[in-house]
Structures are given as structure tokens and as C-alpha cells.
Amino acid sequence: MESAWVDTTLDLNINLFHHTSKALKKESDGKMAGSDVKVPVKHETGVLVEELNRVSTENKKLTEMLTVLCEHYTTLQNKYKELVSKNSEGEAATSSKKRKAECEDYSTTMIGFTANAESSSSDENSCKKPKECIKAKISTACVRTDPSDNSLIVRDGYQWRKYGQKVTRDNPSPRAYFKCSFAPSCPVKKKVQKSAEDPSILVATYEGEHNHAQHSPAALSSLSPVNGGTSNPRSAAVSSSSSAPAKSSAPAVTLDLMKPAGSDDTKKPTQQVEQPAIQQILVQQMAASLTKDPNFTAALAAAISGKVLGQKW
DNA sequence: CGTTTTTGACCGGCGC
DNA sequence: GCGCCGGTCAAAAACG
């Protein structure tokens, strides 16, 4: 997923220049042909080539930085996995009456914001409750919020009705239970609870699948869907809420929210650094999704060429 | 007045 | 069988 990121970033710049130079070429071929400005065009081409080289170099640098960043992230994630597994083992050893599903579900959630009962074969197969084995569509999503905010509200584009709240044993913060209130027949349920380790993170667990379209235009609060094949949290992805499996955008966002959290643990990036980083990532994602759209690139090319023609430079 | 949220009670599964 | 625990229900309260 990281590479896709890099690629789209590159695409954006390259496409831009591509179209720009095309537009310029069009200008020089058509309107300017036979006119009195041939030397400036040559000069301009040189400048553009120079600019292109500069941008290419910059992209290379950025790519390298991103690679290093990804490596650091992977390392951190592995370390975190180790820690979590150690913790769960310790708890299992000390407390005799552990609730296996609870512990495992939670740990998976925190590791990579991924949890799906569907694909985790051995554990789910060994579970005694047939109910749990039947309801396969389970996934989690995490939202970074203000730690002092106790609202337990995760905006994911759907309308939810709260039907219960409980304080669970392994987490001091209460867990809220929601049902989808849009369609009475919609079986989807959602559990929202603050992370025990990081109160600024809300963990939302989705069960089931929506049998209707997303209806709220989505004030999406930077929610990371996790998705192991479920459809509901996907709608909470920052950019796309289509019905197609979110292959590119959704996982990227998942990473996004973990990065700051992970870097917090190791070095010292502060919260102030975190927010602009997320914003930057969101911008990049929007750019990526836009550049993938041929209509947009065509429109962009037309706009640039129109601008260039209008300016006559 | 209808809808949503709150919250204590209840139920069922699980471990001992 | 008993107690613990998570999940759900439903009456009351709050809200728009």
C-alpha cells in the first residue's frame, strides 16, 4: 500500500507537468506557430525540463523518505505486536477465567486495526458457540478523539441508535452498544469503547453487514476501517464510500492513524505534529483518488491549458 | 409528541 | 449449581 501511495504522488506531479507541457506544446504548435516568439519557447522548454528534473529529484527524495518511514513503521508495529502478545500471554497465565474471544479480539484490534472473525480460521473454528461462527462479518475501526471526550460517538456515515452501555472488566471506560437505526431490518450492530491503553482512541467493532445504502453524507471523523471483508466500516473511509471493495484507500487510512500512534511510542513526535500529518495524508489521499479519475485529469489538463492560453506567456 | 438516550434489570454462556 | 461477565431489554428521562 505504501508503494501505491508513492506512485500516486508521483502521478500527480508528473501528470500535471505532462499536461502542462502538452498544453504548452499545443500552444506553440497552433496559435503561436509562425509568430515572432520562437526563442522564448525554446527557453521555456529548457526551463520546463529543468523544472521537471528538479521535481523528479524531489520525488526521489520523498520516496526515499517514505520508504524509511514505512520501514520504521513496520519495525514499530512488530515491536508492538510482540508487546501485546506478551501481555496477553501474561494475562492468560495469571487470570484463570479469561474470556478468550474478548482478549484476542481486542489485541488484534490494537495491533493493526484489523480484526475479522471471518478469516481468522483456527480461533473461530475452535470456538464453541456456533453463533459466533455463523456471524462472520466482524470488523473493527479506530478513531482518534479527544481523550476527555466521553461521547463514544463514531461518525461513519450511518445512523445508529444506542441501546445499551456497559462497563467491562478489562477496560475502565464504558462500552456503548449501537444498532443501525436507518432500516429496522438492518442487522448491523456496533460496539464502541475507548482503548484501554490509549484513551484518545475509540475502538468501534462492527458486527454484520448493512442491507441498505449509506445515507448520511458523512461527517467522517478520520475513521480507519479495518476491514477484513466487511462492508460497513468501509463506508467510513475518508474518501470513498462506494460499494466496491475498498482496496486502495481504506488500508491506507488504516495505516495513517497508526503511524502517529506508533511514532508516539518511540521517539517524540508531539500531538501538534500529528494533526498536520494526518491532514497532509488526507490531502494526499484526495489527490491520489482524483488523479486516478481520468475525467479529472482531462479536466485538469483543459483547465491548465486554458489558463496558459489565457495568460499568453 | 415522537424519537433517542440513559440506566438498572434481566438473560444466557462460560468457568469453576 | 453458582457466580461472573458480556450483551440485551425496556421503562424512564431527556431532547428537539
Side-chain angles (χ1 to χ4, degrees), chain A residues 203-278:
Chain A
V203 181
T205 305
Y206 295 86
E207 293 180 14
E209 197 169 1
H210 290 283
N211 55 10
H212 56 87
Q214 179 184 8
H215 52 279
S216 163
L220 305 173
S221 63
S222 64
L223 185 143
S224 75
V226 192
N227 160 57
T230 67
S231 64
N232 34 340
R234 164 203 319 152
S235 61
V238 171
S239 55
S240 69
S241 60
S242 67
S243 59
K247 281 186 180 176
S248 57
S249 60
V253 183
T254 304
L255 231 190
D256 297 348
L257 286 174
M258 267 318 272
K259 269 179 184 172
S263 55
D264 273 351
D265 293 340
T266 52
K267 307 295 179 183
K268 45 145 193 193
T270 57
Q271 294 281 357
Q272 289 102 343
V273 180
E274 206 171 290
Q275 292 298 352
I278 291 177

Side-chain angles (χ1 to χ4, degrees), chain A residues 97-112:
Chain A
K97 45 180 178 180
K98 55 151 189 175
R99 297 235 167 181
K100 56 187 173 184
E102 179 73 20
C103 294
E104 285 172 11
D105 189 36
Y106 196 70
S107 59
T108 7
T109 299
M110 291 311 295
I111 286 171

Side-chain angles (χ1 to χ4, degrees), chain A residues 262-299:
Chain A
S263 55
D264 273 351
D265 293 340
T266 52
K267 307 295 179 183
K268 45 145 193 193
T270 57
Q271 294 281 357
Q272 289 102 343
V273 180
E274 206 171 290
Q275 292 298 352
I278 291 177
Q279 285 180 2
Q280 192 179 351
I281 287 158
L282 288 177
V283 168
Q284 286 181 349
Q285 288 225 331
M286 289 166 66
S289 59
L290 283 174
T291 52
K292 279 174 191 167
D293 184 358
N295 291 333
F296 173 77
T297 48

